[in-house]
Amino acid sequence: KGIAPTMPGSGYSDIQIDRRIVNYPKDDVLPILKAENVNEFFVDGFSLGTAHALSIARYFGVGGSGYDDHQCVGVGLNCPYLSTPICAEFQMRCDADDMWLVRHNDTQKWSAAWNYALWDLLFYVPYISPPAKFFGDVWPKWAQACPEQVEQLIRDQTRTVVRGSQGQGCEAMHYTTQSMWGFDPREVNVKNVCVWYAQDDCLSPGAGSPPEHGEWLAKMFQNKQEEADGSSGAGESQKVRLSIRAENVGRGHMTYAPSKGAAYTVVEETIPQTLLQMVKQTKEK
């Protein structure tokens, strides 16, 4: 079965002021796994969701705090981005997913009112809202090839603010949540990994994830794969299976969005499908 947890402040989920992504697995995902009686699972995320997917994989992966009761056996990263500390350490651009590029933590001060008014404008004013209406201007090849996906995003964004846009405003403004994370992705240890990034991503500020972020993550997991393969006495269960893709098909941040037709023949395989196959191969060994 598939479970799609909503991030705090979206849909019917409560806002969590000053939250940190490092706490998301324990605070939000663990209760779901217990309620749904899930013992083994894999997780995948897209864009900002990749930060949450990495946090989940870290917490429930090998050596993580939650591994004894709920094992994460794989992680999929669709157009991922990295935290500010990692970008600073390796001298990479760090404006991925920064809609307004300048973020701060003063979400509850009167001076932050402009931010919430702006999100109201984006999500409620006719002819402007929701923002997905204009995604075709950023990624025209994707919008022309799969207009039904644009419509799906419009429906998703409409559900996102069903309880109001304040959650989106809070999330967008909070630098600690979006950019600091509170954990190091190098602490993630899982046996099946997909890192799919687009070489033509982030062609404009705030419109995707820099491809060098995906490249860095791919190299990180390649190093883990080589370490596991080189360990003396390492069996199949200890090996790391890795799928890396770096396409440049003119669809930028939406390169790996699944289609309903032949338009995406180059990248039609999906991350969940690939992870299922990888996990199956692991169990068959």
Side-chain angles (χ1 to χ4, degrees):
K1 61 184 174 182
I3 302 174
T6 305
M7 286 189 287
S10 296
Y12 289 98
S13 296
D14 293 337
I15 298 173
Q16 294 181 20
I17 302 297
D18 300 340
R19 76 181 182 95
R20 305 194 77 189
I21 293 177
V22 67
N23 298 323
Y24 182 71
K26 182 179 179 180
D27 294 346
D28 295 274
V29 177
L30 181 58
I32 296 173
L33 296 178
K34 289 180 177 180
E36 295 291 336
N37 195 28
V38 175
N39 296 318
E40 186 177 275
F41 67 96
F42 67 78
V43 59
D44 76 286
F46 167 67
S47 193
L48 173 61
T50 60
H52 293 76
L54 284 167
S55 184
I56 292 168
R58 171 184 172 272
Y59 188 83
F60 295 107
V62 177
S65 300
Y67 183 76
D68 290 341
D69 298 316
H70 308 278
Q71 289 86 47
C72 179
V73 297
V75 62
L77 306 174
N78 184 341
C79 293
Y81 83 106
L82 290 167
S83 63
T84 295
I86 294 295
C87 291
E89 180 179 346
F90 291 91
Q91 298 182 334
M92 290 183 287
R93 56 188 293 195
C94 58
D95 61 349
D97 278 3
D98 277 6
M99 183 68 77
W100 315 120
L101 300 183
V102 178
R103 293 175 184 266
H104 53 81
N105 293 334
D106 298 332
T107 56
Q108 300 182 67
K109 291 186 177 181
W110 69 268
S111 56
W114 67 268
N115 178 68
Y116 297 101
L118 183 59
W119 283 97
D120 275 348
L121 180 72
L122 287 174
F123 281 97
Y124 293 120
V125 175
Y127 306 110
I128 295 178
S129 64
K133 286 183 178 180
F134 303 99
F135 281 9
D137 297 331
V138 182
W139 302 291
K141 287 188 177 181
W142 162 74
Q144 293 168 10
C146 291
E148 73 281 349
Q149 290 187 11
V150 180
E151 294 302 318
Q152 179 61 55
L153 278 173
I154 290 173
R155 291 192 292 270
D156 287 345
Q157 289 187 344
T158 300
R159 287 194 295 269
T160 293
V161 293
V162 69
R163 292 177 63 186
S165 66
Q166 293 88 351
Q168 297 300 298
C170 182
E171 291 279 295
M173 179 167 279
H174 207 273
Y175 180 82
T176 299
T177 298
Q178 299 283 8
S179 299
M180 298 304 290
W181 296 7
F183 70 94
D184 190 322
R186 288 168 289 194
E187 299 168 348
V188 175
N189 291 294
V190 292
K191 298 305 179 185
N192 302 282
V193 180
C194 291
V195 181
W196 294 9
Y197 62 98
Q199 293 179 344
D200 60 341
D201 203 346
C202 209
L203 297 180
S204 60
S209 303
E212 55 263 37
H213 290 203
E215 184 179 0
W216 186 91
L217 285 162
K219 183 61 177 177
M220 181 195 78
F221 284 112
Q222 282 178 324
N223 291 338
K224 290 179 180 288
Q225 184 183 51
E226 293 170 1
E227 291 173 4
D229 289 346
S231 299
S232 58
E236 288 294 330
S237 61
Q238 280 75 48
K239 291 185 177 181
V240 177
R241 286 175 170 78
L242 186 58
S243 171
I244 298 173
R245 302 186 76 160
E247 307 283 356
N248 186 353
V249 294
R251 299 188 179 103
H253 207 50
M254 298 300 180
T255 293
Y256 303 105
S259 75
K260 294 183 179 179
Y264 277 62
T265 52
V266 177
V267 290
E268 185 61 49
E269 295 179 16
T270 65
I271 285 180
Q273 177 190 21
T274 302
L275 282 173
L276 280 171
Q277 293 172 346
M278 295 167 73
V279 172
K280 183 179 179 181
Q281 290 172 358
T282 301
K283 292 182 177 295
E284 289 175 347
K285 297 295 184 178

